[in-house]
Amino acid sequence: MARTVVAINSGWEFRQANKDESQFLPVSQFPTNVHLDLLHHDLIPDPFIGKNELAVQWVGEATWTYRTNFASPAVPAGGRAVLAFDGLDTFATVKLNGATILESNNMFIPHRVDVSTHLAPESSSNELSITFDSAYFRGCELVEKHPDHKWGCWNGDTSRLAVRKAQYHWGWDWGPTLLTCGPWRPIHLEVYEARVADLAADVDVENSLSRATVTVTAEIEGSADQVRFELSLHGHQVAVGTADAATPTISFTVENPSLWYPRRYGAQPLYEVRAILFRGGVELDTAAKRIGLRRAELVQRPVEGQPGTSFFFEINNVPVFCGGSNWIPADSFIPRINRNRYYDWVRLVADGNQEMLRVWGGGIYEEEDFYNACDELGLLVWQDFMFGCGNYPAWPELRASIDAEARANLRRLRHHPSIVIWAGNNEDYQYQESAGLTYDYANKDSESWLKTDFPARYIYEKILADACAALVPRTAYHPGSPWGAGRNTHDGTVGDIHQWNVWHGTQEKWQDFDKLVGRFVSEFGMQAFPSVKTIDAYLPQGRDDPDRYAQSSTVDFHNKAEGHERRIALYLAENLRYAPDPLEQYVYSTQLMQAECLASAYRLWRREWRGPSREYCAGALVWQINDCWPVTSWSIADYYLRPKHAYFTVKREMAPITVGIARRTHKHPIPGAHRHSRIGTEVLTRIEVWASNLTLADATVDCVLRAWDVVTGEETFSNTVAAGLVLAANRSTEIVELDVPVRTTGDEARIVVAAYLVQDSRQVARYVNWPEPLKHVHLQKPKALQARLAEDLASVQIRAEVPVKGVALECDDDGVAFDDNLIDVVPGEVVTVVVRGASANTRINTRYLGM
């Protein structure tokens, strides 16, 4: 008998279990959670609107029961019936026909329960019920039960550390406190005599890339005698073979394999590996997974001329500069993120010229749709285990649960070629440093770690390390993020760092990001308001709401970062002329601020990708790409997938070939001046120009510099400063250093400089550099700023007679999308922006700095 799988996804209803008068009501969808079902019946207000989050806190403190009925299947002699629960959130007691069959306390562990002896007679009805206890209260009880542990965390409260549940549900500095519960992943009833319980493919690509060995192993449950293995590509069989079910493994050799590459460097062919289980020639079960054939290595070796070691990824022998983003769950209510939404998000990242997404450790091990999209679109994935910002306990039962969690998710996800690293946690080593917890890197006695006030080291350096070594030995494991060989987590010469001295920490200027570099910067960021449309969507009365202004109570409520008012004001005041009203211009100002900040980081750090043995910076992952609700945060696209302006500046800085300019001031003594004279020095401003070529071919270009007086619009300089310049592949190249081109000494602060790279008469890169801070620049209001939609409705042409900073294209129609935005415009030049979704009635408006 072949295995049958029936989805238990209909007829579900729910009620509040600790409220006698509560009646069962049908669920809104399945899988589901309690907030979605309460919303469906208008029993709670939408927590994303106004301050409604406060009004729904009771939900996470209640107990909830879900139930349904299903018919008993026919179970053959020697067969079994199994209920498979892919995910229960979180403290769940499962009953079948009144008998308890499962008690679960880990959101991240799937469960399989043999219910053969619990089912009603064939075709009769069975009642399946699941009662979910309050994760918050259970966590608090566990904290009280273990008073000897040194409880402490950033974000949320300490009860979360005791519970294996998505940590952001307790609230974070970008997200609401919404403690969900429910059957958040599918439930199935399986009937079988034997099945393929797991299917793994170990891929070994030779260094020459000319041959790959694919070793396929099946885990068999039940009685069978033979397994047929197949390897195919695009529906065409590549290899086939059989193995005895007692030793279900086989190796295939693939000559000249079609290799999987990150999006910038090649195609993303996905092979299918399949196992078909037989007994006596009868097919019992089949399982299949898509895999990519590729080499992936994390390279940590000495670098030339600097202390420490590199930290970069090499895919198929290609060193990759990993510009990208951090990913958080795309909704506070995970079951409503569907496949299309996952693909829309991942496509937005890929279209933004990004190479990597880091799945952050305070969320979830993501859905298959997320990783499938990354596999198909060629995005690398940095995968955290689900621990973040705290001192986690490690009592025996919890250690066993964590081990099961890790192994279950490694088995589930290990076939994805996009995943190139697993990291043990997010910022837990930084919390250890901050709290002064015990950490002696030289001590390798893992049992002794459990006796310290930092027992979580055992989780990261023993449990998770062992699980990865056993199940994903070809994938890099990194004990934490940030982490670097046991050194201080702020040491930029080893491992990865989280660079929060812009915004948090010492609140440095973003123009100094080159001084804040690390071998791999896996977090950094700057806040900005979301789209005005998004703000209007969360204000209870929309555009007519009395709180529709930047400093209102409701708008403040939709920013969860402590001290956000001071930090936003600081960076605005340091850099821009701005005012809080009108709201539209204030939103624009914060988005311009964020865009300038992040572009500076990508530009300056990409410069430090200088070629073999000089990989001084190999990655920059902005915090963050997305939001889980409508909020002011560090995201570069808001909850509704509306890109902020920083999305476009990052996209430009991560283009295949870029050009950059930095201004440097130098003090020089005036000849003959007294050595103690306060006026005996002069300050000279020079510009440094460089290019970065992330392609795998050398590029021969001319570099043209032009300059204008920002006040008059007069061109002060135009020259080809490098002709026939070879930009070596996959590294940066220094081009020229010279004085700011002025006609009158002292006018440096009014000169705008643009650099262009031209290849075969075609412009391949462009960057406009402005005097800073921008608040000191005497920006002129253009008299002839034009942003015209082309006759074919496929592009917008922008021009102006004076230099204009940050021209933003705006359209009320959400169906209209621009491929670029927030563009610096200089005289004598037309900038063309591709537009999609425009019609003859489309009206495009502009906004700019100084408007």
Side-chain angles (χ1 to χ4, degrees):
M1 171 188 174
R3 180 172 69 107
T4 61
V5 180
V6 177
I8 309 298
N9 60 2
S10 62
W12 283 95
E13 52 187 9
F14 79 108
R15 67 177 288 268
Q16 186 176 341
N18 61 337
K19 187 177 181 181
D20 291 341
E21 62 270 28
S22 176
Q23 300 295 311
F24 276 102
L25 295 170
V27 300
S28 58
Q29 60 177 72
F30 199 87
T32 189
N33 71 30
V34 66
H35 289 80
L36 293 175
D37 297 328
L38 292 168
L39 274 169
H40 178 68
H41 291 281
D42 294 324
L43 294 175
I44 58 171
D46 187 337
F48 289 5
I49 303 299
K51 299 179 183 179
N52 289 342
E53 174 197 349
L54 302 175
V56 302
Q57 291 307 300
W58 66 273
V59 177
E61 297 184 2
T63 303
W64 301 91
T65 294
Y66 283 78
R67 73 179 184 185
T68 191
N69 292 277
F70 63 91
S72 288
V75 182
R80 66 184 69 181
V82 170
L83 276 172
F85 302 88
D86 288 355
L88 300 174
D89 175 15
T90 290
F91 289 94
T93 300
V94 183
K95 293 184 178 182
L96 181 61
N97 298 324
T100 299
I101 61 171
L102 172 66
E103 291 189 354
S104 174
N105 59 11
N106 188 322
M107 176 180 178
F108 304 122
I109 297 179
H111 296 279
R112 298 179 59 82
V113 183
D114 189 333
V115 295
S116 304
T117 60
H118 294 277
L119 291 174
E122 184 178 340
S123 300
S124 299
S125 181
N126 300 272
E127 182 181 83
L128 177 64
S129 70
I130 312 172
T131 298
F132 293 93
D133 208 352
S134 166
Y136 173 63
F137 286 154
R138 291 287 290 270
C140 292
E141 292 166 5
L142 287 166
V143 170
E144 293 172 348
K145 185 179 177 180
H146 296 272
D148 293 337
H149 180 66
K150 200 168 185 177
W151 298 95
C153 64
W154 300 319
N155 293 296
D157 68 73
T158 54
S159 65
R160 70 176 176 83
L161 302 175
V163 181
R164 296 310 301 144
K165 172 178 171 60
Q167 301 288 273
Y168 81 109
H169 287 165
W170 273 261
W172 221 262
D173 54 9
W174 37 258
T177 300
L178 293 168
L179 280 155
T180 62
C181 72
W184 72 293
R185 278 181 170 161
I187 299 174
H188 295 92
L189 176 65
E190 301 179 15
V191 178
Y192 57 90
E193 297 175 59
R195 75 179 186 109
V196 180
D198 188 35
L199 183 61
D202 176 71
V203 177
D204 181 12
V205 178
E206 293 184 0
N207 192 56
S208 67
L209 307 182
S210 62
R211 180 183 294 112
T213 301
V214 182
T215 302
V216 187
T217 302
E219 181 182 319
I220 306 303
E221 180 185 322
S223 175
D225 51 36
Q226 192 177 68
V227 185
R228 174 186 171 93
F229 292 102
E230 298 175 350
L231 183 68
S232 61
L233 178 64
H234 305 317
H236 301 289
Q237 195 171 90
V238 174
V240 63
T242 59
D244 192 284
T247 55
T249 188
I250 196 169
S251 290
F252 296 127
T253 299
V254 182
E255 302 289 345
N256 300 314
S258 296
L259 297 178
W260 185 96
Y261 281 90
R263 51 171 294 281
R264 194 186 300 273
Y265 299 107
Q268 293 79 45
L270 294 171
Y271 288 75
E272 181 185 83
V273 59
R274 180 176 294 272
I276 308 168
L277 189 61
F278 294 94
R279 185 176 67 224
V282 176
E283 181 178 325
L284 301 176
D285 193 20
T286 183
K289 291 186 177 180
R290 295 191 307 172
I291 64 172
L293 308 190
R294 53 102 174 109
R295 290 175 60 87
E297 183 181 0
L298 173 59
V299 181
Q300 300 181 80
R301 66 188 181 200
V303 292
E304 181 183 304
Q306 292 189 11
T309 54
S310 63
F311 191 97
F312 69 91
F313 294 93
E314 196 170 74
I315 311 297
N316 299 331
N317 303 334
V318 176
V320 177
F321 181 85
C322 291
S325 294
N326 283 267
W327 169 269
I328 65 170
D331 203 306
S332 292
F333 306 134
I334 298 164
R336 71 177 172 192
I337 313 171
N338 60 28
R339 180 183 184 278
N340 288 342
R341 196 156 185 86
Y342 274 118
Y343 272 76
D344 287 345
W345 271 115
V346 176
R347 192 174 294 109
L348 184 73
V349 174
D351 289 346
N353 288 327
Q354 299 186 37
E355 294 291 338
M356 176 176 272
L357 279 171
R358 172 179 172 241
V359 179
W360 167 76
I364 63 171
Y365 305 94
E366 274 294 351
E367 304 291 343
E368 287 293 325
D369 287 331
F370 171 85
Y371 301 101
N372 288 338
C374 292
D375 290 346
E376 293 169 18
L377 297 174
L379 283 172
L380 300 176
V381 172
W382 172 310
Q383 178 68 53
D384 281 359
F385 285 96
M386 294 300 116
F387 303 86
C389 297
N391 184 27
Y392 283 83
W395 56 77
E397 298 84 0
L398 185 58
R399 296 200 302 270
S401 181
I402 289 168
D403 183 64
E405 167 192 323
R407 292 174 184 268
N409 284 285
L410 286 166
R411 288 174 182 271
R412 179 173 72 91
L413 300 176
R414 61 184 168 181
H415 62 285
H416 289 286
S418 53
I419 300 176
V420 293
I421 185 173
W422 287 81
N425 64 79
N426 172 77
E427 294 184 356
D428 289 356
Y429 286 99
Q430 280 197 333
Y431 183 85
Q432 168 264 316
E433 292 170 353
S434 174
L437 304 177
T438 303
Y439 184 64
D440 178 7
Y441 178 65
N443 174 17
K444 302 303 180 183
D445 177 8
S446 58
E447 293 302 314
S448 72
W449 306 338
L450 294 169
K451 301 172 185 177
T452 71
D453 57 5
F454 183 49
R457 180 182 181 184
Y458 189 92
I459 299 172
Y460 314 135
E461 297 182 38
K462 178 62 176 172
I463 295 174
L464 302 181
D466 287 354
C468 287
L471 296 174
V472 288
R474 296 187 191 277
T475 303
Y477 175 70
H478 195 51
S481 178
W483 194 83
R487 299 191 193 180
N488 186 284
T489 56
H490 297 92
D491 187 337
T493 68
V494 290
D496 69 316
I497 64 169
H498 291 183
Q499 185 46 271
W500 281 110
N501 281 322
V502 171
W503 181 268
H504 288 302
T506 54
Q507 298 183 338
E508 304 291 336
K509 298 178 184 297
W510 72 61
Q511 292 84 353
D512 293 333
F513 264 131
D514 55 337
K515 302 173 185 174
L516 306 173
V517 68
R519 296 289 180 252
F520 196 108
V521 186
S522 47
E523 280 191 24
F524 68 100
M526 175 59 67
Q527 281 206 352
F529 274 53
S531 165
V532 171
K533 297 175 186 176
T534 297
I535 296 172
D536 289 342
Y538 73 63
L539 289 172
Q541 298 177 45
R543 292 184 60 86
D544 297 324
D545 198 285
D547 261 11
R548 193 182 186 271
Y549 62 96
Q551 297 159 312
S552 74
S553 173
T554 305
V555 171
D556 265 355
F557 187 82
H558 282 253
N559 188 334
K560 298 299 187 180
E562 185 177 349
H564 64 264
E565 302 94 338
R566 297 191 302 275
R567 289 177 169 87
I568 289 176
L570 168 68
Y571 283 101
L572 281 173
E574 278 190 345
N575 290 280
L576 306 176
R577 280 182 282 173
Y578 76 98
D581 295 310
L583 178 64
E584 288 78 2
Q585 191 67 16
Y586 182 79
V587 168
Y588 165 85
S589 296
T590 69
Q591 290 199 13
L592 173 63
M593 171 183 73
Q594 182 193 44
E596 290 288 296
C597 173
L598 302 187
S600 175
Y602 279 95
R603 186 182 315 118
L604 293 169
W605 291 341
R606 182 171 164 176
R607 185 185 189 182
E608 298 306 309
W609 179 250
R610 295 181 181 268
S613 298
R614 297 197 300 159
E615 302 93 351
Y616 304 134
C617 182
L621 307 181
V622 68
W623 185 269
Q624 65 225 56
I625 179 64
N626 61 326
D627 285 323
C628 68
W629 76 314
V631 64
T632 296
S633 77
W634 298 270
S635 72
I636 62 173
D638 70 31
Y639 173 74
Y640 298 105
L641 284 111
R642 294 180 175 126
K644 299 178 186 177
H645 290 315
Y647 170 84
F648 298 103
T649 60
V650 170
K651 178 180 180 179
R652 292 197 292 268
E653 295 299 339
M654 280 303 299
I657 296 176
T658 59
V659 62
I661 299 175
R663 296 192 187 212
R664 308 292 186 199
T665 56
H666 305 271
K667 291 184 178 180
H668 296 275
I670 297 174
H674 191 281
R675 67 181 185 277
H676 296 307
S677 173
R678 288 175 294 177
I679 58 171
T681 59
E682 62 178 349
V683 178
L684 300 178
T685 304
R686 293 177 64 79
I687 58 172
E688 301 165 0
V689 185
W690 69 92
S692 174
N693 175 14
L694 293 184
T695 76
L696 301 184
D698 293 351
T700 301
V701 300
D702 296 338
C703 179
V704 177
L705 284 187
R706 300 175 66 195
W708 296 265
D709 186 307
V710 74
V711 176
T712 67
E714 178 187 6
E715 186 174 71
T716 63
F717 184 84
S718 180
N719 195 19
T720 300
V721 295
L725 175 68
V726 176
L727 304 181
N730 207 9
R731 71 194 69 181
S732 64
T733 299
E734 299 297 310
I735 298 177
V736 70
E737 180 179 345
L738 71 164
D739 292 338
V740 172
V742 296
R743 292 187 175 171
T744 303
T745 301
D747 281 353
E748 291 87 354
R750 55 189 283 169
I751 299 300
V752 175
V753 183
Y756 306 86
L757 298 182
V758 180
Q759 184 181 41
D760 299 327
S761 301
R762 182 175 63 91
Q763 180 181 299
V764 295
R766 170 188 185 270
Y767 171 62
V768 181
N769 176 270
W770 296 72
E772 292 186 285
L774 288 166
K775 66 181 181 179
H776 291 167
V777 180
H778 295 169
L779 297 167
Q780 303 301 297
K781 290 182 171 59
K783 298 176 182 178
L785 175 63
Q786 298 177 357
R788 291 182 177 174
L789 189 62
E791 289 185 5
D792 62 3
L793 307 178
S795 65
V796 178
Q797 284 80 43
I798 312 169
R799 65 186 57 164
E801 84 286 1
V802 294
V804 185
K805 178 66 185 175
V807 176
L809 303 175
E810 299 178 352
C811 183
D812 290 337
D813 183 356
D814 264 346
V816 174
F818 304 103
D819 278 6
D820 199 3
N821 217 324
L822 200 72
I823 296 156
D824 295 342
V825 180
V826 291
E829 165 174 40
V830 177
V831 178
T832 300
V833 175
V834 173
V835 62
R836 288 169 283 116
S839 69
N841 296 322
T842 296
R843 181 177 177 181
I844 295 172
N845 301 313
T846 58
R847 193 178 299 278
Y848 55 88
L849 184 61
M851 183 172 172

